[in-house]
Structure formats: C-alpha cells, structure tokens
Amino acid sequence: MPNQTPIPAASICVFRGTQVLLVKRANALGRGLWSLPGGKVEQGETAEIAAVRELAEETGLEARVVVLVGNYELDAPPRGYLITCFVARHSGGEPCAGSDASDAKFIEIEDLASYALARNSYEAISAARVIMDV
C-alpha cells in the first residue's frame, strides 16, 4: 500500500470457555469467510468503542474489553485496513447475525481448522488465547 494510509478498523475476540465467537462475512470484502466481529472505526470513535459497537451490530452481544491483542494489516484495494484487535469475555446471551454478518456463533477453538477463516483471524485468536490463558 505505497503512499496510502490504511483505513482504521477494529475487531474483538470474545471467548466463552473453550469457544470463540466468529461471524460469517456477508459482504464483498471477505464474503463467505469466518472472522472475528469487527469493522471500520467511525469518525470520533476510539478503536475500542468501534470494536464493541461492531460486536453489538454483527452479533447482538455485549462484552467488556479486557485488553488490546494487537494490530493487523489487511491488504484490500484501494487503501487496505489497519485492524486493532481486542479481547473480551462473554457476558451472556447467544449471538444472532446482523449487519454484514450472515451467521454468528461460538465454535470450539479445537474446530478452527475446519472453518475458512479471513486473513489474520487465526493469528489474532491465537494471540488472544495466550493473553486469556484459554
């Protein structure tokens, strides 16, 4: 992405015991792939607030952020994205797909290999697992 500032985005990794929350992307960028809930940071938002907002929009769930996991780059025309990922604990309820997600569910971490994951999702989940000792 030469001479282009990436679009700021945020995602959130939510654990429920040995399960992690994933959403199946419904829109052009990532359609059909499973990823952490997330999206663009809107004007005036922090990345943390954006991550919590996207979680609610895409899954109907609320969570309290525990800590920052890291930053991940996603190459996508025209500018790409810089995704700030947070980790949170599930605080109740079942996910219901909304916004740009066609499905949302908790899956066993040991089953991740059987899902077509969006780029950086596995890396972010792995880093979050270390932080949360899952």
Side-chain angles (χ1 to χ4, degrees), residues 56-96:
E57 289 177 2
E58 293 182 356
T59 70
L61 296 177
E62 295 180 2
R64 180 178 294 204
V65 169
V66 175
V67 70
L68 172 72
V69 174
N71 293 302
Y72 300 88
E73 291 185 16
L74 177 62
D75 293 330
R79 295 173 35 199
Y81 294 88
L82 180 61
I83 304 167
T84 302
C85 182
F86 297 90
V87 64
R89 284 193 177 92
H90 179 246
S91 57
E94 288 299 319
C96 179

Side-chain angles (χ1 to χ4, degrees), residues 21-27 32-37 55 57-60 94-107 115:
L21 179 64
L22 293 180
V23 295
K24 191 173 189 180
R25 295 282 160 212
N27 293 338
L33 297 176
W34 291 88
S35 72
L36 299 173
L55 173 68
E57 289 177 2
E58 293 182 356
T59 70
E94 288 299 319
C96 179
S99 184
D100 64 345
S102 63
D103 198 0
K105 63 183 176 179
F106 282 98
I107 66 147
Y115 286 80

Side-chain angles (χ1 to χ4, degrees), residues 34-58:
W34 291 88
S35 72
L36 299 173
K40 294 178 189 175
V41 176
E42 294 180 359
Q43 180 112 18
E45 281 185 321
T46 65
E48 183 175 337
I49 289 171
V52 172
R53 175 185 51 77
E54 288 286 344
L55 173 68
E57 289 177 2
E58 293 182 356

